[in-house]
Amino acid sequence: MKSSEAQPSPPAGAARDWTIPQRWAEYTPDQHAMWDRLYQRQVAQLPGRVAPVFLEGLELLGMGKAGIPDFDDLSARLHRATGWSVVTVPGLVPDAVFFEHLAQRRFVAGRFIRTPAQLDYLQEPDIFHDVFGHVPLLAHPVFADYMQAYGQGGLRSLEYQAIHKLARLYWYTVEFGLIRAGADLKIYGAGIVSSHGETQYALDDPTPLRLRFDLRRVLRTRYKIDSFQKNYFVIDSFDDLLRQTLDTDFAPLYAELEGLEDIEPNVLLPTDVVSACIRC
Ligand code: HBI
Ligand code: FE
């Protein structure tokens, strides 16, 4: 978005930065029970599948306690670990607002939780996706720095009208990233970690491509928002992801990529490095 374009204003009751109070005391017993059901279902299948630092984050942040987390308590613990905090927003916020929060080490989370009818699929992220999926890794110092760098890069991408390209980096790392662990792969992206079905599919199903992370390749690759992914990108480590992001001057890269076609999901290029799927 160009800076000359009007920003949508926050809805009534929200602050100028789009934040609202969590009003934790107003969650009903059914809503807390929904959290517990989702939490237990995921925690049961994550060990051995998720990057160990995710489970360490859950532990460090005291997220094993029953019920929907109270963001005051969660933020206090997270802030001690990495200087991040969690703030509440009414739903999707404009890109510039989202990036500004990340650049200031604030993660935005919705306050609503899905209903039993939406157990396995919902269109907009809920508090379980936002908090269970995203927050544990923010307790990891390197990942915490990566998320801030993404926010800063996002603000700059607005000036180059390159947000649709940079959003692919977020999608294929923060939301749907895989990480190497010896000969095996582990999940770390919040979209996988918070999904019962994709937690298995991402590692066990022979259908999707699992490609070595390559920044240019990722920025060119379109993605699906309404189905399991057709390709995943595998990083070597969070240090490597952070270093590649910080070492890249994105402005000339955006210009260069302007002249290249987008790549559809599930397309294999001769230059791609495919990770063997040892669980398929
Ligand atoms: N708003 N609440 C919320 N959560 C997001 O993940 C989010 C957003 N607004 C914009 C946005 N994401 C995109 O800019 C990024 O996915 C690139
Ligand atoms: Fe998300």
Side-chain angles (χ1 to χ4, degrees), residues 6-255:
Q7 277 283 329
S9 5
R16 284 188 57 195
D17 67 358
W18 286 67
T19 58
I20 57 172
Q22 185 190 13
R23 291 181 285 113
W24 184 82
E26 292 174 29
Y27 287 116
T28 66
D30 281 353
Q31 289 174 321
H32 286 299
M34 187 70 215
W35 173 280
D36 291 343
R37 182 175 172 188
L38 290 162
Y39 182 92
Q40 279 152 23
R41 191 171 74 149
Q42 275 317 82
V43 156
Q45 65 169 353
L46 285 176
R49 297 183 160 270
V50 76
V53 292
F54 178 91
L55 298 175
E56 289 162 21
L58 277 183
E59 174 79 30
L60 185 76
L61 299 174
M63 289 177 71
K65 255 193 330 205
I68 294 172
D70 182 334
F71 291 174
D72 288 343
D73 174 50
L74 185 64
S75 286
R77 290 169 183 260
L78 182 59
H79 200 268
R80 256 177 266 136
T82 57
W84 274 76
S85 58
V86 178
V87 295
T88 319
V89 289
L92 284 179
V93 298
D95 293 325
V97 175
F98 181 68
F99 293 144
E100 182 64 29
H101 280 296
L102 296 183
Q104 303 292 332
R105 290 173 101 88
R106 288 190 299 265
F107 190 74
V108 300
R111 74 171 298 282
F112 89 95
I113 189 157
R114 70 195 74 181
T115 64
Q118 300 167 305
L119 190 66
D120 289 309
Y121 184 74
L122 67 168
Q123 224 144 16
E124 281 220 359
D126 72 343
I127 190 172
F128 185 74
H129 167 82
D130 284 340
V131 174
F132 180 86
H134 284 282
V135 175
L137 281 185
L138 291 172
H140 183 266
V142 179
F143 193 84
D145 284 354
Y146 173 68
M147 284 289 274
Q148 181 178 26
Y150 181 83
Q152 292 164 336
L155 290 172
R156 283 194 301 273
S157 79
L158 299 173
E159 297 163 33
Y160 301 102
Q161 284 138 61
I163 193 172
H164 61 289
K165 289 206 174 66
L166 190 69
R168 294 167 180 164
L169 176 61
Y170 192 86
W171 189 264
Y172 283 118
T173 59
V174 178
E175 294 291 355
F176 291 98
L178 300 182
I179 186 166
R180 173 161 307 291
D184 200 4
L185 304 176
K186 305 278 188 216
I187 59 176
Y188 72 88
I192 309 176
V193 166
S194 64
S195 159
H196 187 68
E198 198 150 354
T199 288
Q200 296 163 40
Y201 170 92
L203 295 180
D204 302 358
D205 196 287
T207 317
L209 295 170
R210 298 173 182 85
L211 306 174
R212 173 188 240 173
F213 178 84
D214 176 281
L215 186 55
R216 280 155 205 270
R217 178 29 160 130
V218 167
L219 294 182
R220 290 178 61 197
T221 308
R222 301 165 67 95
Y223 57 81
K224 299 262 179 194
I225 62 163
D226 56 357
S227 65
F228 290 167
Q229 299 304 301
K230 303 262 184 274
N231 32 223
Y232 298 98
F233 289 91
V234 182
I235 59 169
D236 283 337
S237 65
F238 293 125
D239 290 272
D240 185 56
L241 177 63
L242 175 63
R243 193 174 38 74
Q244 283 202 50
T245 306
L246 293 179
D247 288 355
T248 300
D249 190 352
F250 281 77
L253 184 53
Y254 294 143

